[in-house]
Amino acid sequence: MNDQTPSVLFVCVHNAGRSQMAAGWLRHLAGNQIEVRSAGSMPAEQINPIAVEAMAEEGIDITAEEPKVLTTEAVQDSDVVITMGCGDACPYFPGKRYEDWKLDDPAGQGIEAVRPIRDEIRFRIETLTAELLDQDPARA
């Protein structure tokens, strides 16, 4: 890695559940070592309240976040772009690292269904953080 702070963009259609939970985890686990963005191709009016509740159980407050529209600039400015089921809505730029995380959509789900999604996102974020910061995830 170079001396610049790596940046990650999380994208899902509504930017209300999965991408917001992922951004919350990354901010929590990496602090200011990684720049975090999230956006959606068709942003919802507000964050999924069940996603907020699930994250609050882990001591992470995402209530201040708002769904944002995906811009070409956000993709260009990010080193890693992680999509969560937005398909072709994400612009592609050569030289970026793209990953598509297959995750269930928490929309319309109860807290019991959202917890495993939250926990799967945490596991993936821990791995991503270790890769970007060149750490051993067992020691992080």
Side-chain angles (χ1 to χ4, degrees), residues 12-116:
C12 66
V13 175
H14 299 302
N15 189 219
R18 293 165 288 191
S19 56
Q20 292 287 356
M21 289 193 288
W25 273 124
L26 187 54
R27 283 187 195 98
H28 179 73
L29 295 170
N32 59 4
Q33 296 179 83
I34 298 175
E35 191 177 341
V36 182
R37 299 180 178 94
S38 71
S41 50
M42 298 187 317
E45 290 188 15
Q46 65 180 35
I47 295 183
N48 178 338
I50 303 299
V52 171
E53 181 183 346
M55 294 302 285
E57 290 180 349
E58 297 292 321
I60 300 170
D61 181 4
I62 59 170
T63 55
E65 300 301 319
E66 292 182 3
K68 292 173 277 309
V69 69
L70 177 65
T71 64
T72 302
E73 292 77 25
V75 177
Q76 280 181 309
D77 293 344
S78 300
D79 299 310
V80 181
V81 179
I82 296 177
T83 56
M84 301 172 172
C86 74
D88 296 330
C90 302
Y92 179 81
F93 292 95
K96 302 275 177 218
R97 173 177 164 187
Y98 288 86
E99 290 185 25
D100 187 48
W101 291 0
K102 305 283 188 225
L103 296 161
D104 291 334
D105 189 345
Q109 304 277 357
I111 190 72
E112 297 297 330
V114 174
R115 283 183 187 123

Side-chain angles (χ1 to χ4, degrees), residues 94-134:
K96 302 275 177 218
R97 173 177 164 187
Y98 288 86
E99 290 185 25
D100 187 48
W101 291 0
K102 305 283 188 225
L103 296 161
D104 291 334
D105 189 345
Q109 304 277 357
I111 190 72
E112 297 297 330
V114 174
R115 283 183 187 123
I117 301 169
R118 173 201 66 203
D119 295 344
E120 170 72 12
I121 291 171
R122 177 182 183 148
F123 173 75
R124 291 174 185 237
I125 292 295
E126 287 172 343
T127 301
L128 177 70
T129 301
E131 290 170 0
L132 290 178
L133 300 179
D134 200 25

